[in-house]
Amino acid sequence: MRAPIGDFDHALPAPECLDQLTEPVAAAVRAWQGVVPADRILYVDTDPAIADTAVFTEHYGPQLLDESANCVIVAGKRGETTTLAACVVRSATKIDVNGVVRRHLGSRKVRFAAMDTAIGETGMEYGGITPIGLPADWPVLVDATVVDTEWVLVGSGRRRGKLILPGKAFAELPGAVVLEGLGVA
């Protein structure tokens, strides 16, 4: 089938290509429940050499800048306690780390998680982290504009390949909290 967004010739329902996903992502797809059925999560094969947003959108379609989201792992600290969380914002925006994220996590300081921490704790490749398959006890902060987007392209857990799913599915992820203003221009 053709993907609903982007210049991808071929898309497969993610449950049909679990071997292309990291184990945490494949497990989450296998266990998927919610209003959006698992077969509406689509997998598209992409070139890992052009996984970064600017080059990726130039190759697969400039409209993807408004139809894709980035998932970034942050670490909030208050005293001796560190809380890891995921932030999901549209690719054309930046995360309001020192405002919305800090207040929501109740942290005194928030920073982007170190690469070793992000990949070690998620079981995913850096540059391909997705909110699907994250540890169930993590907060997954999702910008409201992501949920309001008809179809959203996001990482697959690897640098090769992406997932496309209805925006409303992000609100159903374990630990999801939909926030206004999480992504800023």
Side-chain angles (χ1 to χ4, degrees):
M1 84 175 70
R2 186 144 174 84
I5 59 173
D7 296 331
F8 306 102
D9 292 328
H10 191 66
L12 289 171
E16 294 179 16
C17 52
L18 296 174
D19 60 327
Q20 299 298 313
L21 307 173
T22 59
E23 182 48 39
V25 179
V29 170
R30 277 192 295 274
W32 188 266
Q33 297 178 1
V35 176
V36 175
D39 63 1
R40 302 259 338 251
I41 303 170
L42 305 175
Y43 175 82
V44 291
D45 189 37
T46 60
D47 182 349
I50 58 171
D52 295 322
T53 303
V55 179
F56 185 88
T57 56
E58 182 180 312
H59 183 76
Y60 291 107
Q63 74 281 8
L64 287 174
L65 194 57
D66 293 323
E67 298 170 326
S68 62
N70 290 326
C71 180
V72 178
I73 308 304
V74 297
K77 190 161 181 154
R78 184 170 196 86
E80 298 301 313
T81 304
T82 299
T83 302
L84 293 175
C87 297
V88 182
V89 298
R90 288 178 45 187
S91 296
T93 64
K94 296 180 183 200
I95 302 166
D96 184 3
V97 174
N98 293 314
V100 173
V101 176
R102 186 181 57 76
R103 283 190 301 275
H104 184 79
L105 295 179
S107 300
R108 294 195 42 84
K109 184 176 182 178
V110 177
R111 59 180 168 71
F112 297 111
M115 181 172 53
D116 290 347
T117 300
I119 61 176
E121 295 293 326
T122 64
M124 300 178 201
E125 293 178 5
Y126 198 75
I129 294 175
T130 183
I132 298 169
L134 292 174
D137 59 339
W138 283 20
V140 177
L141 312 180
V142 183
D143 188 80
T145 61
V146 172
V147 175
D148 293 338
T149 303
E150 184 176 8
W151 289 96
V152 179
L153 179 123
V154 69
S156 68
R158 292 198 163 115
R159 283 186 65 86
R160 169 171 224 113
K162 301 286 184 185
L163 298 175
I164 299 173
L165 60 156
K168 64 185 177 183
F170 289 88
E172 298 180 355
L173 293 170
V177 179
V178 179
L179 298 170
E180 296 286 341
L182 177 62
V184 293

